[in-house]
Every structure is written in C-alpha cells, then in structure tokens.
Amino acid sequence: MKYLILDGCPRKGNTWKVTEAAIEQIKEQYPDSEFEELNIYDQDLPFCTGCSNCFRIGHEKCPHYGIIGNIIEKMERADGVIVCSTTYNWRETSVLKNLFDHFCFMLHRPHLFRGKALVITTTGGTGAGKSAKSIASTLLGIGLNRCYRLSIAAISWNAYVPGARELRKISKKTSRFAKDVRSRKLHAPSLLSLIPYNIMRGMGQNYAPGSEYPTADGVFWTDAARKGYAYFPEVRLSLVKRAFGQMFYTIGKTLGGQKSLLVTYKK
Ligand SMILES: Cc1cc2nc3c(=O)[nH]c(=O)nc-3n(C[C@H](O)[C@H](O)[C@H](O)COP(=O)(O)O)c2cc1C
C-alpha cells in the first residue's frame, strides 16, 4: 500500500515524533508499505487569492495549479493519506489551512472517494481534538472514505517523549487505519456526509452549460456518471440512505434554482 504524508508542521517536533511512531507501526504491520512525505511548508504555496476560478471554470485554472495539481495527483495515487499538524490556537496550522482553502472546490466537487486518512495532531495542553476534527471534516468533505483521528497532548514545547500509554494509543489507532487501508473496503457514508454531497448535486443542476451562470460545478454534477446517484456510484448505499440523499438533492436543486439564491459572477 502507498501512503502519502502531508506534513502541515513548520518543524520536525512533537507532532513528527508521533507521526514517526505511526509510520513504524504500519511498517511493522505491513513491511511492504511505501511512504512519501510532502512537507506543505516547503511547497511555498501562496495564499488563495479568492479568484474562484476553481469553482467557475475548473481547478486547472487556479493560479497555483502547478503546486495544487501535484498534491492532488499524489493524493489520488495514495491508498492512505496521513495528515499531521501541530495545534495553533486550537486549530490546524495556517499553512495547512491555506492548502485546504485551495481544496475548497473539492467540497463542491468531491472525488477522492477511495482514500482513507489518518489525522495526527499534537497540542501543548488543549485543542488537539479540535484541530483533528477540523482537518477531518475537510478530508471527509472532499470525498475521502474514512478518517481516523489521533490527538495527543504533548505537554511540552519541544521535548515530547511518548509514554507507554500514548505509544499504545498510537499503535491501536494506526493499526486500525492500516488494516482498513489494506482491506480496500469502501464504507458507506454517514447520513451527515450525504447532506453536503446531495445539496451540491442538486444545486449543480442549476449551473449546467447553457444556464445563466454555467460553472465547472454544473458540468460535474450534470454528468450522467454521477447525476442520478446519491453518492459515488462505486460506494454501495442502502435504500434508506439513497432516499435520504435524494431528499437533500431535491432541496438543493429547488432552493438553488430560486432566482434570489442563484450564485452570480461577473461575465
Ligand atoms: C504559535 C503556537 C500556538 C499554540 N497554540 C496552542 C493551543 O492553542 N493550545 C495548546 O494547548 N498548545 C498550543 N501550542 C503548543 C503546541 O501545540 C505544542 O507544543 C505542540 O506539541 C507543538 O508541536 P510541534 O513540536 O510539532 O511543533 C501552541 C504553540 C505555538 C508555537
């Protein structure tokens, strides 16, 4: 299995120690695992300029596509993605947030449905759970199939040494993640994940080519390959979940089609 590590930390400190322990666990469990690390700081990714090209005319038109396109391609190729971040002000680092700002078009057009993620965060005392939750919500929103969260209170600025209890926690969570990656199983989404997916699918119908404000979202959602499905067609859904998704599709399509709610742009 191929693992991509997206390191959102500015230095190899406490968070990296936990990440290394997680990598060791996976190597021990599955020696044929391959790892590639991408340090987000080193990418020199400029801030998102808010041009909205990605939403309107396609993410290939992002002024920073050279960097973003490369990261997304690596995520597409990976079986498992490990995202690590220290906690600043109870959230992920700004560099990771900046990357996620560039990923926002995938909240509109999710596609990374085969991927599974392990989110690793550390904090001095409090907030690691909040930063992990924030990262996980983006990863699930852009389509990833499952997201495991590992949060550690290091109680140290720069000299963290995981104790026996924490090593057990790291090993248990990482092992579940690696086993799931290995299984290649595509889990059914939660009801909560079906809401944004289907609202977007519904709204997208109002932005098809030939409409007043055509967008890349409109092209994506009116494509026959996904228009009629309450979730990625490759992922099996129960009848109840299909009906649930369909309800939010109808809400998105109807409300999104109201003149007052139509998202405009300068032509
Ligand atoms: C700018 C900054 C902000 C921080 N914010 C928090 C915080 O909100 N809550 C907290 O408990 N610790 C906070 N810390 C402590 C770090 O989260 C903690 O030491 C972390 O383990 C450092 O990870 P690293 O060694 O990988 O950089 C902060 C540290 C820095 C430098």
Side-chain angles (χ1 to χ4, degrees):
M1 296 285 116
K2 287 189 170 59
Y3 291 88
L4 174 69
I5 301 158
L6 293 179
D7 181 5
C9 304
R11 60 183 199 162
K12 295 286 188 246
N14 297 342
T15 317
W16 190 249
K17 272 188 201 139
V18 178
T19 306
E20 277 182 326
I23 293 170
E24 280 315 306
Q25 166 64 41
I26 299 173
K27 280 185 182 163
E28 206 175 284
Q29 204 170 333
Y30 302 113
D32 60 343
S33 305
E34 292 169 31
F35 296 87
E36 180 182 1
E37 189 216 335
L38 207 64
N39 186 282
I40 309 302
Y41 273 80
D42 294 345
Q43 304 303 304
D44 291 329
L45 175 64
F47 285 119
C48 168
T49 62
C51 67
S52 76
N53 281 353
C54 54
F55 297 110
R56 293 181 293 109
I57 52 178
H59 75 287
E60 303 82 2
K61 305 292 179 199
C62 170
H64 313 136
Y65 179 68
I67 301 170
I68 288 299
N70 178 44
I71 298 177
I72 294 173
E73 269 172 36
K74 286 183 189 295
M75 291 177 80
E76 285 166 350
R77 282 199 297 269
D79 301 295
V81 181
I82 299 174
V83 181
C84 62
S85 173
T86 177
T87 299
Y88 290 163
N89 193 19
W90 281 22
R91 289 291 303 271
E92 66 269 46
T93 57
S94 51
V95 164
L96 197 56
K97 172 67 167 61
N98 180 37
L99 175 69
F100 287 172
D101 291 349
H102 287 82
F103 280 0
C104 279
F105 76 94
M106 291 193 281
L107 296 172
H108 283 221
R109 307 193 298 272
H111 77 282
L112 294 163
F113 66 93
R114 287 192 198 282
K116 289 175 184 162
L118 173 65
V119 174
I120 299 175
T121 57
T122 72
T123 182
T126 60
K130 288 190 194 308
S131 52
K133 193 172 174 194
S134 162
I135 296 167
S137 72
T138 297
L139 296 176
L140 290 171
I142 64 176
L144 269 80
N145 185 250
R146 189 145 280 192
C147 198
Y148 294 79
R149 290 185 249 158
L150 176 58
S151 309
I152 303 268
I155 324 203
S156 169
W157 290 113
N158 52 18
Y160 174 59
V161 181
R165 199 165 142 259
E166 282 149 348
L167 285 171
R168 272 200 304 278
K169 179 176 168 179
I170 296 167
S171 144
K172 202 170 154 194
K173 190 59 70 82
T174 307
S175 163
R176 280 181 53 209
F177 161 67
K179 200 169 159 201
D180 194 7
V181 169
R182 195 78 174 186
S183 76
R184 293 190 189 273
K185 183 177 173 190
L186 291 181
H187 304 279
S190 66
L191 288 176
L192 205 63
S193 298
L194 285 172
I195 298 175
Y197 186 97
N198 283 286
I199 296 250
M200 285 299 166
R201 181 167 68 104
M203 281 178 62
Q205 306 308 314
N206 301 298
Y207 300 90
S211 62
E212 194 179 354
Y213 291 102
T215 63
D217 287 3
V219 173
F220 182 84
W221 289 114
T222 53
D223 187 324
R226 57 184 70 83
K227 183 181 172 180
Y229 299 92
Y231 204 58
F232 301 104
E234 296 82 354
V235 181
R236 286 185 67 175
L237 272 194
S238 67
L239 269 178
V240 173
K241 286 191 172 171
R242 264 186 256 171
F244 183 82
Q246 197 59 24
M247 185 172 76
F248 282 94
Y249 166 78
T250 307
I251 292 172
K253 187 175 172 186
T254 311
L255 289 181
Q258 306 287 309
K259 191 83 189 152
S260 61
L261 291 178
L262 208 59
V263 183
T264 63
Y265 55 79
K266 271 188 206 143
K267 293 190 187 184

